[in-house]
């Protein structure tokens, strides 16, 4: 279904933001929700990790704690490491967002918000999956929260822009198609094109 409006008059005092800048305005709200979503996913991931560590120490099949097995330790070590790195990235990004206007966030920090979002949403799914594996059959049942956490947060990899959209935004900033590097890359391309037009080949060009 689609709703369209034709020849509708909107008075100036009813406008929300600048005319023709609706997408940028909407992106401001999206950024705020994406960083919140990342923080939510991080918290759920840490819960899954901590519960798995606790259970692995308590559970003693054949008289030996699960936690003594490196096959139990190492996946949780990796998840715990990723969680700590993500926590710092989220806090740094949120702190920088608080210092910028909404327009500045869109043009200078949007990639960091996307990094937080797709990493956080991936991490919680991995942590919930590992928690279910560590807890065995009980972890898969509704006696534990892990299956609900997985289902709830798995949708975050689709909503607020899929993780492919998030990665595309990061790539656009990284390679200078958007963001602060855009001007420098355009100048570099213009210089390269001019040198190629002069007859130089790639090995003779140093930019």
């Amino acid at each position: 279904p689609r709703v369209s409006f034709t020849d509708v008059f909107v008075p100036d005092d009813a406008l929300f933001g600048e005319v023709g800048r609706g997408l940028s305005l909407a992106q401001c709200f999206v950024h705020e929700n994406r960083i919140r979503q990342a923080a939510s996913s991080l918290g759920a991931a840490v819960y899954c990790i901590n519960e798995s560590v606790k259970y692995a120490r308590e559970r003693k099949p054949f008289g030996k704690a699960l936690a003594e097995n490196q096959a139990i330790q190492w996946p949780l070590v990796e998840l715990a490491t990723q969680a700590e790195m993500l926590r710092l990235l989220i806090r740094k990004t949120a702190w920088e967002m608080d210092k910028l206007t909404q327009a500045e966030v869109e043009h200078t920090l949007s990639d960091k918000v996307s990094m937080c979002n797709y990493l956080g949403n991936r991490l919680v799914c991995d942590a919930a999956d590992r928690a279910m594996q560590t807890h065995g059959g009980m972890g898969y049942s509704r006696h534990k929260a892990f299956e609900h956490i997985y289902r709830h947060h798995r949708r975050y990899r689709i909503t607020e822009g899929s993780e492919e959209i998030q990665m595309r935004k990061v790539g656009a900033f990284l390679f200078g198609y958007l963001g602060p590097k855009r001007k420098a890359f355009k100048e570099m391309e213009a210089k390269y094109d001019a040198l190629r037009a002069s007859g130089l080949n790639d090995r003779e060009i140093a930019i």
Side-chain angles (χ1 to χ4, degrees):
R2 183 179 66 180
V3 177
S4 61
F5 298 93
T6 304
D7 297 329
V8 176
F9 174 75
V10 180
D12 290 342
D13 59 359
L15 291 175
F16 185 39
E18 298 178 38
V19 175
R21 302 288 297 171
L23 179 60
S24 296
L25 183 64
Q27 288 279 24
C28 297
F29 296 104
V30 169
H31 290 136
E32 292 172 3
N33 210 35
R34 283 175 178 171
I35 195 78
R36 176 206 60 78
Q37 199 178 72
S40 172
S41 292
L42 173 63
V46 170
Y47 170 81
C48 291
I49 295 166
N50 290 343
E51 287 296 300
S52 297
V53 169
K54 180 181 175 183
Y55 180 79
R57 287 300 302 267
E58 292 176 348
R59 180 83 169 103
K60 295 182 179 180
F62 310 107
K64 179 182 177 181
L66 282 175
E68 293 185 28
N69 298 294
Q70 290 177 334
I72 297 294
Q73 290 182 11
W74 289 0
L76 291 168
V77 166
E78 290 188 0
L79 289 168
T81 303
Q82 292 169 22
E84 285 303 310
M85 291 190 293
L86 179 61
R87 187 195 309 278
L88 294 176
L89 180 59
I90 289 173
R91 287 179 174 174
K92 178 176 180 289
T93 302
W95 175 69
E96 290 179 339
M97 287 176 71
D98 285 342
K99 298 193 299 178
L100 300 173
T101 65
Q102 292 178 331
E104 288 172 334
V105 170
E106 167 65 18
H107 296 296
T108 64
L109 204 62
S110 186
D111 60 328
K112 299 300 188 298
V113 176
S114 288
M115 286 179 184
C116 291
N117 187 266
Y118 91 81
L119 280 175
N121 296 336
R122 276 189 184 180
L123 178 65
V124 66
C125 289
D126 291 343
D129 183 74
R130 177 51 51 182
M132 286 187 277
Q133 191 71 17
T134 303
H135 283 75
M138 180 174 63
Y140 184 71
S141 73
R142 293 189 178 182
H143 293 287
K144 292 293 183 180
F146 311 127
E147 56 87 23
H148 173 74
I149 288 173
Y150 185 92
R151 285 186 290 108
H152 179 82
H153 287 272
R154 182 61 181 84
R155 67 191 171 102
Y156 285 174
R157 294 171 68 180
I158 302 170
T159 61
E160 297 301 330
S162 66
E163 65 180 34
E164 290 83 4
I165 293 294
Q166 310 299 337
M167 295 178 74
R168 187 172 181 225
K169 174 61 71 72
V170 175
F173 270 64
L174 184 64
F175 290 95
Y177 295 108
L178 292 175
K181 296 180 181 179
R182 186 174 185 178
K183 182 179 178 181
F185 272 97
K186 278 188 172 295
E187 292 174 350
M188 183 186 72
E189 286 180 350
K191 182 179 178 182
Y192 172 83
D193 290 342
L195 291 171
R196 285 288 290 169
S198 71
L200 295 177
N201 60 45
D202 285 345
R203 286 181 294 180
E204 296 172 316
I205 296 175
I207 298 179

